[in-house]
Amino acid sequence: KSAIIYTRVSTGDQAEKGASLDNQEQRCLAWAALNNVSVVNIFREEGVSAKTHNRPKMNEMFKYIASNGKNLDYLIIYEIDRLTRNASDFYTIKDFFTKYGVTLKDPSSQLETTYSDKVMHGLKAIIAEVDNDMKSDRVRENMKSHAANGELMHKAPYGLENCRDYMGRSTCRPILSISKPIAMLLAEFSTGSYRVHHLLRKASEIGLKQSNGKPMTHQILRKILTNPLYAGLSKSTHTDGQLLASIFDGIIPKEIYF
């Protein structure tokens, strides 16, 4: 009997939790040795999340199975979540293996596939998906909590750059060469005397261009003129669409924005 091994880590901290690539590989090799299975190839995926299907080593493994499936018996993995954290995707991937006669195994599997193996793999796929959903919910709630306290939870807009304050909080600071002309346009826009197309000409006159060096466009300038962060206010999905005070003071007074 012959097999291939697939291992994956998404972050360095998994090494501390016993799921390093080397540990995964050793466990899979131990199963193969115990069951007198010859390992013919090993695919090691480093630093790639299970959320994406575009994984170099996984794609390489799929191609290898498609070309050598007739000579393969097993794919050995450390845990189901090394393949995917989505139950539906798991069964799609499993169907691909079945098509080429390759059976999925992990260190807890028997050599001969049992109903128990099938049940456990299905349960592990569901547990991995639920665990991933719970982690995502915790991350979203954590980001909302930080946003409610005025922290910046997204990329800073043009003319500002992401940074941390003296307390380590996520915020931003102005890039003076860009933020000064933006502040001038914001001030003029607040008077109500200028429309976007008027300020587009002014932007050209004072040399304010896009981040790629191209002339400012109507669409991009409108986004700048209506972004509350320039006035030290935050509004995003993390604030549930509410306008909240930011720990960033802004480059114009709040009164000008309103």
Side-chain angles (χ1 to χ4, degrees):
K1 300 288 185 178
S2 64
I4 57 175
I5 291 173
Y6 176 77
T7 61
R8 180 190 64 80
V9 291
S10 56
T11 57
D13 64 2
Q14 286 183 324
E16 300 173 7
K17 299 175 182 177
S20 68
L21 288 175
D22 288 341
N23 185 60
Q24 291 179 46
E25 186 176 313
Q26 289 168 11
R27 292 288 303 279
C28 293
L29 286 170
W31 183 91
L34 181 66
N35 291 284
N36 198 30
V37 173
S38 175
V39 175
V40 296
N41 209 335
I42 298 174
F43 299 88
R44 292 167 60 101
E45 198 90 71
E46 188 166 7
V48 182
S49 170
K51 294 179 182 179
T52 176
H53 295 170
N54 188 25
R55 295 182 238 160
K57 289 300 178 181
M58 174 173 271
N59 291 335
E60 187 179 322
M61 178 184 70
F62 286 156
K63 290 177 183 177
Y64 184 89
I65 291 174
S67 300
N68 302 278
K70 292 182 179 179
N71 301 315
L72 285 176
D73 297 289
Y74 309 113
L75 165 64
I76 312 171
I77 56 172
Y78 176 73
E79 280 288 1
I80 295 298
D81 63 8
R82 300 303 88 200
L83 278 179
T84 180
R85 287 182 173 273
N86 180 283
S88 178
D89 288 347
F90 166 71
Y91 284 106
T92 299
I93 293 171
K94 192 171 180 294
D95 286 344
F96 173 82
F97 297 151
T98 301
K99 175 182 176 182
Y100 291 99
V102 176
T103 303
L104 187 64
K105 296 293 181 181
D106 64 54
S108 66
S109 300
Q110 300 295 320
L111 182 63
E112 297 300 324
T113 301
T114 64
Y115 290 121
S116 177
D117 282 340
K118 292 181 179 180
V119 170
M120 287 306 298
H121 283 166
L123 284 174
K124 287 180 178 180
I126 293 171
I127 290 170
E129 180 173 339
V130 172
D131 179 64
N132 192 63
D133 289 345
M134 290 174 66
K135 286 179 180 177
S136 296
D137 285 343
R138 286 197 294 270
V139 169
R140 280 193 292 270
E141 288 305 313
N142 186 51
M143 293 181 77
K144 281 188 176 183
S145 176
H146 284 293
N149 291 324
E151 293 189 54
L152 183 62
M153 294 290 103
H154 53 79
K155 184 180 179 181
Y158 188 47
L160 308 177
E161 60 182 357
N162 293 85
C163 66
R164 292 191 177 275
D165 68 6
Y166 70 99
M167 294 178 61
R169 298 177 298 180
S170 180
T171 182
C172 61
R173 60 191 170 209
I175 303 171
L176 296 180
S177 61
I178 304 172
S179 64
K180 282 186 175 182
I182 287 178
M184 185 185 75
L185 293 179
L186 286 166
E188 294 191 350
F189 185 61
S190 70
T191 65
S193 300
Y194 299 94
R195 303 188 70 174
V196 178
H197 68 272
H198 294 133
L199 295 176
L200 196 58
R201 285 198 296 269
K202 282 187 172 287
S204 177
E205 290 171 4
I206 62 178
L208 180 64
K209 298 182 178 180
Q210 298 181 55
S211 58
N212 60 12
K214 293 183 178 179
M216 189 63 66
T217 65
H218 188 282
Q219 182 180 15
I220 292 176
L221 184 57
R222 172 167 285 281
K223 285 184 178 180
I224 291 173
L225 296 172
T226 56
N227 192 323
L229 191 60
Y230 294 113
L233 299 165
S234 179
K235 183 179 180 181
S236 69
T237 55
H238 301 308
T239 66
D240 292 326
Q242 297 181 57
L243 200 60
L244 303 177
S246 169
I247 58 176
F248 171 60
D249 291 332
I251 59 175
I252 59 170
K254 293 177 177 59
E255 296 77 17
I256 288 182
Y257 175 78
F258 287 114

